[in-house]
Amino acid sequence: MFYISLRYVQSYSNRFYLFIKCFSISGIAIGVMVLTIVISVMNGLENEFKIHNMRFIPHIVITTKKGWLNTQEISISSLIGCKNILYITPFITGDVLLQSQRNITNGTLVGINTSDPEPISNYLINACIKQLVSGEYKVFLGSELANRLDLKKGDKVKLITSIKQYTPIGSIFLQKIFTVAGIYYTNTEVDSYQLLLHINDAAALMHYPNGCVTGWRLWLKNPINPRYFFSIPPNLICKDFRTNKLMLIQAIQMENKIIMIIIFFIILIAIFNIIIILIMLIIAKKNEIAILKAQGLKNKSIMMIFIIYGIIISIIGIILGLIFGIFLLKNIEILLVLMKLIGIVSKTTNIIIPVSINLSQIIFLIMIIISLTFIIGIYPSWYATTIKPSKCLR
């Protein structure tokens, strides 16, 4: 059966039939090529997001419903040594207003221990994280935040909290003047809102009781899909990065799904052309089918001849699509030139497209296409079994 199917694939007797066959193979190849490129680029963008953005924000925060806790009363020793946790650090956070001599803006303070791991410490400009000394009220600002306030190293900035303090002249918001110890540049959004200070200075500013913090920050080995593989006391709550990044993550996932559905329908249209090819082939080979049936070939075997034929056509398209797709991914500069010629990207723009080829996704894609080809080829293959040798061989 396979030999007969392969012989039919190599047949070039009818030019129109050859055109339809090449058109179907080309449709499947283009669809597979585009889908391979899109999946790999989307994976690359997701990895880029994980590497560059997730490096600077805690993947999981453990705190209480009231927003702060006493580290001497509540222990998380059970989390230490968990295989998916990189490190755990206590911290204090809160929203503040930053006021300089020329401007005012909002930001988020993060109080840290300088002895704990801090991802931003490697991105300080001509400064060291150890410069944050308890009681000296120094602060590190993100580059974009410092630009908005027109601040540089050594300048003074006033931090104003939302906590009210009652005085003889009325209530005022808690505030404190800090010295800019340095500026960091990560080329991510944290540069626009986050400021680092010593955890004791943050506790004094926020009027936290002695020994209290906002909670613990956890960094994971696999932050994109955080799983709560640990147990915590019932009075604690967990918040992962998806709480603040939910809209962005949902938008990325929705965009991926929509693009894949569109390209999938393009491939489906090309697969449906296989029905036309099979019907034309059956009509052209009607006498041969009648001879095979007269020689005792069963209907099931005749169906398998044409189903295998359709699958071979799909596999040829898949192989060509994968070859061209992986070639373009390995030579991504060619894809960039094509995008600039079409006008998708400005000719003056220099961009880097991240690529991550996932073999499991590609194999899954191939299995779906082959399965659809098998299902679509059932009806025309069944039609071949309705041919009666007595009528065709008169």
Side-chain angles (χ1 to χ4, degrees), residues 145-182:
L145 187 61
N147 290 335
R148 286 207 307 266
L149 294 168
D150 194 18
L151 292 172
K152 60 183 181 300
K153 186 176 181 180
D155 289 343
K156 303 294 183 180
V157 59
K158 183 186 288 185
L159 303 188
I160 306 170
T161 72
S162 59
I163 303 171
K164 288 185 178 181
Q165 182 181 24
Y166 295 95
T167 66
I169 60 173
S171 62
I172 59 172
F173 292 105
L174 292 176
Q175 51 191 277
K176 185 70 178 179
I177 295 176
F178 282 72
T179 302
V180 178

Side-chain angles (χ1 to χ4, degrees), residues 13-77:
S13 57
N14 189 313
R15 289 185 178 180
F16 181 72
Y17 163 74
L18 178 62
F19 170 78
I20 296 295
K21 181 170 66 176
C22 293
F23 181 80
S24 298
I25 293 173
S26 301
I28 295 172
I30 292 171
V32 171
M33 178 188 72
V34 174
L35 196 54
T36 302
I37 293 172
V38 169
I39 290 174
S40 300
V41 171
M42 288 298 179
N43 289 337
L45 290 172
E46 185 177 299
N47 292 338
E48 195 77 6
F49 174 79
K50 177 173 65 175
I51 292 170
H52 290 286
N53 289 277
M54 300 305 297
R55 185 187 301 174
F56 306 108
I57 60 175
H59 305 151
I60 293 178
V61 171
I62 298 177
T63 185
T64 60
K65 291 183 179 179
K66 60 184 178 182
W68 58 272
L69 52 85
N70 192 320
T71 55
Q72 297 175 354
E73 297 176 358
I74 301 175
S75 174
I76 55 167
S77 57

Side-chain angles (χ1 to χ4, degrees), residues 130-307:
K130 295 294 183 181
Q131 291 177 253
L132 296 178
V133 179
S134 176
E136 292 188 2
Y137 294 98
K138 292 182 178 180
V139 63
F140 287 119
L141 301 178
S143 57
E144 189 176 336
L145 187 61
N147 290 335
R148 286 207 307 266
L149 294 168
D150 194 18
L151 292 172
K152 60 183 181 300
K153 186 176 181 180
D155 289 343
K156 303 294 183 180
V157 59
K158 183 186 288 185
L159 303 188
I160 306 170
T161 72
S162 59
I163 303 171
K164 288 185 178 181
Q165 182 181 24
Y166 295 95
T167 66
I169 60 173
S171 62
I172 59 172
F173 292 105
L174 292 176
Q175 51 191 277
K176 185 70 178 179
I177 295 176
F178 282 72
T179 302
V180 178
I183 295 170
Y184 64 84
Y185 178 73
T186 64
N187 196 28
T188 62
E189 63 176 354
V190 297
D191 294 346
S192 64
Y193 67 85
Q194 186 167 288
L195 52 147
L196 295 179
L197 56 155
H198 196 279
I199 193 168
N200 293 338
D201 296 343
L205 177 64
M206 302 295 290
H207 271 209
Y208 272 38
N210 187 31
C212 291
V213 296
T214 301
W216 289 278
R217 299 183 298 172
L218 278 68
W219 271 266
L220 309 179
K221 294 179 181 178
N222 182 21
I224 291 297
N225 296 307
R227 297 178 180 177
Y228 299 127
F229 44 82
F230 48 80
S231 59
I232 59 174
N235 58 330
L236 297 181
I237 58 174
C238 278
K239 298 178 181 178
D240 61 52
F241 70 93
R242 292 173 295 187
T243 304
N244 297 324
K245 304 290 182 182
L246 182 61
M247 295 299 293
L248 175 62
I249 293 170
Q250 287 181 341
I252 293 173
Q253 291 176 346
M254 183 60 68
E255 183 180 359
N256 290 350
K257 290 177 181 178
I258 291 173
I259 292 174
M260 289 185 67
I261 289 172
I262 292 172
I263 299 174
F264 176 76
F265 275 110
I266 294 174
I267 297 175
L268 193 62
I269 292 170
I271 292 174
F272 270 111
N273 287 332
I274 294 176
I275 296 179
I276 301 173
I277 297 175
L278 288 175
I279 292 174
M280 291 179 62
L281 180 65
I282 290 168
I283 293 173
K285 305 295 182 181
K286 189 177 292 186
N287 291 337
E288 293 182 19
I289 295 170
I291 292 171
L292 291 172
K293 292 188 72 175
Q295 290 180 342
L297 194 65
K298 295 181 180 180
N299 289 338
K300 182 180 178 181
S301 299
I302 292 175
M303 286 185 66
M304 288 306 300
I305 289 172
F306 296 99
I307 289 174

